[in-house]
Amino acid sequence: MTDAAESPRTNFIRQIAAADLASGKHERVATRFPPEPNGYLHIGHAKSIVLNFGLAQDFGGTCNLRFDDTNPHKENVEFVESIKEDVRWLGFDWGDRLYFASDYFEKLYDFAVELINKGLAYVCELSADEMRAYRGTLTEPGKDSPYRNRSVEENLSLFTRMRAGEFPDGSRTLRARIDMASPNINLRDPVLYRIKHGVVHHQTGTTWCLYPTYDYTHPISDALEGITHSLCTLEFEDHRPLYDWCVGNVSVPSKPRQIEFSRLNLEYSVMSKRRLTELVSESHVHGWDDPRMPTIAGLRRRGYTPASIREFCHRIGITKSDNLVEMAMLESAIRDDLDAHAPRRMAVLRPLKVVLTNYPEGQAEEVEARNHPKDESMGARRLPFGREIYIDRSDFEEVPPKGFKRLVPDGEVRLRNAYVIRCDEVIKDAAGEVTELRASIDMDTLGKNPEGRKVKGVIHWVSAAHAVPAEVRLYDRLFQAVMPGAGGADYRDDINPASLQVLTDCVLEPSLRDAAVGERFQFEREGYFVVDRDATPERPVFNLTVGLRDTWGKSKK
Ligand code: ATP
Ligand code: MG
């Protein structure tokens, strides 16, 4: 992939940023990526990361990494660390601008006091159920809380006591005093603070028993950091008036603008963190970095490159319309990258032994094989060749289907980078299973066709004497349905029971013995593979990254 191919396409947000710089509204672009540390990042987050960091990069601005950590129950340091690792791996740098919303708890508290003093916030004693009943519906206005008209003094006193820990969970909230009749339910006196005793926050420990809500924290954090363009997904569109209300009513140093874009939805995947958490905790997959997961950690272990994920994000673009992206889009991005950059190797996944009966016993030689068909700079390697080789079971058919071009009884095939062989004899076990082939080699066919004969098929092989035994893990889609759980069904019912197939008897050409964890190759005629972190010096383990060709179009259910 060239750098030019990765250059971002324009979109409406870039146009807004460019216009704001041109008009002098802003002197610089400042964005932020604000994950909640309650799970690992997924490919949807990558879209947001590439947008936020990419925008800042292209306009010479800055992008902050800010953990939105206002909900300590489900958050932890493992998630904080994994998120940092994933953002870095994707190729982005927040420099010294790493923040936590919890850094602002003291300031947020002071702003809440400011709101109370302005008559714009009050302590409410309605229970959660009562509050819901008072809120009204989309068609009916809400009712004022009986606590709405408390005096400033009473509110200040109660809010101080809330902070001091005098009241139990759920007994009181601090609410914005906006408009219970607003057609926008988000403006019907939303909760700004709730009481949570007994939680240990991963950053602030037990300092606080009062936690600000996301809707209150987010705009003020943006304003404190001087964010110019606060980019978020479409479900926050209805929250924008509240965002503006918050930054408009407290003494923050800047007024960021919220702009919404549509979130990424990917076919055959789930993307909500709740579901991803369940897949892990209920052991439907082997952890957050299971190669079948749409997490960044999973994609990395699957063999995706950072460049391919960035490229995917550029290709899908940024719009305001909700859509479902085809899995083939994601796969073509990594396939294009690996096609250009992955060295070619030979690996036999389902070995069938072939004895070349006319090749002298004890003789050995090496043939040359290029590492890439188009890129000469990737060089070549020597492959040992000998009397016994392995080919893939699927490259031999006793009763060939129509159009089968590979090895058949009494037929010829070319061994890639080597010679033409002819199958003379098929050996079977008692059950009738083919266990070995006897073949003869035409030593006059290295790099050229035999006189007067056309050999159409070319197959890959590995020398038996030098073969490196290995495990190869093949992955299929994690879900069988395009939209798992659509129509209210349980998304777990759509889990594909055959999403992982482990092949334990594979053989590799010897150069693969020393491949390092994370190294990627094309196994010729099979697909692209990456060394898994389970690999040991004794036993290489490879993951299938992606096949050589797109098969999604054919198989869509
Ligand atoms: P979930 O709803 O699954 O818990 P979230 O949106 O709450 O996810 P956050 O950690 O809050 O997850 O997300 C951080 C940022 O990433 C937010 O700005 C959010 O809008 C963005 N984001 C999350 N999911 C997607 C997605 N599928 N596509 C694009 N951006 C996303
Ligand atoms: Mg969120």
Side-chain angles (χ1 to χ4, degrees):
M1 199 176 310
T2 65
D3 291 343
E6 216 200 294
S7 71
R9 288 54 161 172
T10 189
N11 59 54
F12 75 97
I13 294 178
R14 297 174 65 83
Q15 285 162 4
I16 291 173
D20 287 348
L21 290 174
S23 72
K25 180 178 178 191
H26 295 299
E27 280 169 15
R28 45 188 289 280
V29 169
T31 57
R32 86 287 170 265
F33 172 63
E36 180 176 0
N38 61 349
Y40 279 58
L41 296 182
H42 53 61
I43 183 75
H45 291 117
K47 175 176 178 173
S48 176
I49 292 169
V50 170
L51 173 63
N52 279 293
F53 279 93
L55 196 73
Q57 234 164 40
D58 295 336
F59 287 101
T62 50
C63 180
N64 300 351
L65 175 60
R66 183 201 315 139
F67 288 99
D68 153 36
D69 57 349
T70 54
N71 200 358
H73 285 291
K74 293 180 175 165
E75 300 164 3
N76 67 46
V77 171
E78 176 196 346
F79 295 141
V80 169
E81 291 308 314
S82 77
I83 289 169
K84 288 199 243 172
E85 181 184 352
D86 289 349
V87 173
R88 246 185 245 120
W89 180 78
L90 279 173
F92 298 104
D93 183 7
W94 55 87
D96 57 359
R97 293 174 310 280
L98 172 66
Y99 301 107
F100 290 84
S102 55
D103 296 342
Y104 310 129
F105 278 178
E106 197 62 54
K107 285 184 179 152
L108 287 160
Y109 182 87
D110 292 343
F111 288 130
V113 169
E114 180 181 350
L115 288 174
I116 293 174
N117 276 317
K118 289 178 173 168
L120 293 176
Y122 61 98
V123 172
C124 183
E125 292 173 39
L126 292 179
S127 69
D129 284 343
E130 289 167 330
M131 212 183 286
R132 210 167 298 124
Y134 273 75
R135 188 173 298 132
T137 63
L138 284 173
T139 49
E140 283 171 57
K143 276 193 308 184
D144 284 1
S145 160
Y147 306 99
R148 195 173 201 263
N149 293 319
R150 281 182 152 145
S151 68
V152 167
E153 291 67 34
E154 193 181 0
N155 279 318
L156 286 175
S157 156
L158 285 168
F159 193 50
T160 310
R161 291 172 62 195
M162 281 167 70
R163 177 175 182 171
E166 288 187 31
F167 305 117
D169 288 15
S171 64
R172 281 166 184 77
T173 55
L174 184 76
R175 296 177 69 179
R177 196 164 180 273
I178 309 180
D179 180 5
M180 287 307 293
S182 172
N184 184 336
I185 291 185
N186 294 296
L187 294 182
R188 294 184 189 169
D189 291 9
V191 171
L192 306 181
Y193 272 91
R194 56 246 197 274
I195 300 172
K196 288 178 202 248
H197 286 283
V199 282
V200 181
H201 188 285
H202 52 100
Q203 302 300 317
T204 58
T206 53
T207 308
W208 293 87
C209 64
L210 205 54
Y211 287 94
T213 54
Y214 175 83
D215 276 341
Y216 173 65
T217 308
H218 193 74
I220 294 179
S221 306
D222 281 347
L224 289 173
E225 291 174 16
I227 301 302
T228 53
H229 301 84
S230 177
L231 313 179
C232 66
T233 36
L234 272 181
E235 69 272 21
F236 291 103
E237 196 163 22
D238 291 343
H239 297 234
R240 193 188 330 134
L242 177 55
Y243 185 102
D244 292 340
W245 185 92
C246 289
V247 295
N249 284 297
V250 298
S251 321
V252 281
S254 77
K255 302 267 180 280
R257 169 173 174 194
Q258 174 177 309
I259 305 170
E260 307 86 17
F261 63 96
S262 64
R263 56 199 295 129
L264 167 65
N265 300 300
L266 193 59
E267 284 181 343
Y268 299 100
S269 298
V270 295
M271 209 73 89
S272 99
K273 271 191 269 184
R274 183 177 59 78
R275 288 178 173 181
L276 295 175
T277 304
E278 286 166 357
L279 287 173
V280 173
S281 64
E282 297 170 12
S283 301
H284 300 292
V285 295
H286 308 308
W288 284 98
D289 72 345
D290 186 299
R292 292 165 292 180
M293 289 281 272
T295 51
I296 304 300
L299 291 166
R300 173 165 62 233
R301 196 170 168 197
R302 181 76 177 256
Y304 277 73
T305 58
S308 69
I309 295 177
R310 293 193 302 263
E311 172 64 15
F312 167 73
C313 293
H314 295 316
R315 288 182 189 176
I316 57 175
I318 299 290
T319 68
K320 267 190 180 288
S321 48
D322 260 320
N323 56 3
L324 187 62
V325 172
E326 293 187 355
M327 199 58 129
M329 284 276 283
L330 180 60
E331 290 194 349
S332 73
I334 184 63
R335 196 180 286 113
D336 291 351
D337 188 351
L338 295 178
D339 178 37
H341 299 122
R344 275 41 174 177
R345 292 292 182 265
M346 295 218 274
V348 175
L349 304 190
R350 299 169 184 86
L352 174 62
K353 186 177 271 189
V354 181
V355 179
L356 304 170
T357 50
N358 59 337
Y359 194 90
E361 235 160 312
Q363 182 171 321
E365 68 183 288
E366 286 185 336
V367 296
E368 183 158 288
R370 286 182 50 184
N371 290 330
H372 196 280
K374 284 168 273 184
D375 187 347
E376 297 252 2
S377 73
M378 291 177 72
R381 66 201 185 282
R382 312 283 298 170
L383 286 175
F385 184 83
R387 183 178 151 91
E388 294 190 355
I389 59 169
Y390 290 112
I391 66 168
D392 199 274
R393 279 188 178 273
S394 64
D395 285 332
F396 172 76
E397 288 286 353
E398 211 174 1
V399 186
K402 204 168 171 289
F404 187 81
K405 294 205 186 73
R406 292 157 282 160
L407 198 58
V408 298
D410 300 318
E412 285 185 321
V413 79
R414 171 170 290 283
L415 299 176
R416 184 153 174 74
N417 298 310
Y419 304 90
V420 171
I421 62 170
R422 165 185 293 275
C423 174
D424 304 316
E425 194 184 340
V426 181
I427 316 267
K428 297 179 182 174
D429 63 13
E433 186 83 18
V434 177
T435 56
E436 191 180 301
L437 302 177
R438 301 278 159 90
S440 40
I441 182 165
D442 183 341
M443 292 303 293
D444 201 27
T445 54
L446 187 62
K448 62 179 184 197
N449 258 324
E451 278 287 317
R453 309 197 303 279
K454 258 209 194 119
V455 181
K456 289 215 188 84
V458 182
I459 65 175
H460 60 287
W461 54 274
V462 166
S463 160
H466 308 84
V468 176
E471 176 176 318
V472 173
R473 299 172 184 169
L474 303 180
Y475 300 99
D476 194 359
R477 64 197 75 177
L478 184 54
F479 292 95
Q480 289 166 314
V482 177
M483 292 172 70
D490 188 338
Y491 71 97
R492 297 173 187 87
D493 295 342
D494 292 320
I495 289 177
N496 174 10
S499 60
L500 169 62
Q501 193 189 352
V502 181
L503 304 178
T504 53
D505 301 320
C506 311
V507 289
L508 314 176
E509 64 164 85
S511 71
L512 287 168
R513 186 192 303 276
D514 302 319
V517 172
E519 253 192 285
R520 304 173 183 89
F521 301 92
Q522 185 196 92
F523 289 175
E524 297 208 36
R525 303 184 57 240
E526 293 289 359
Y528 296 96
F529 292 80
V530 64
V531 183
D532 188 73
R533 63 170 163 76
D534 288 344
T536 64
E538 294 73 43
R539 189 163 177 77
V541 177
F542 280 84
N543 292 323
L544 170 66
T545 304
V546 67
L548 293 175
R549 273 167 293 277
D550 176 28
T551 53
W552 290 95
K554 265 186 277 173
S555 62
K556 199 166 287 185
K557 281 183 200 159

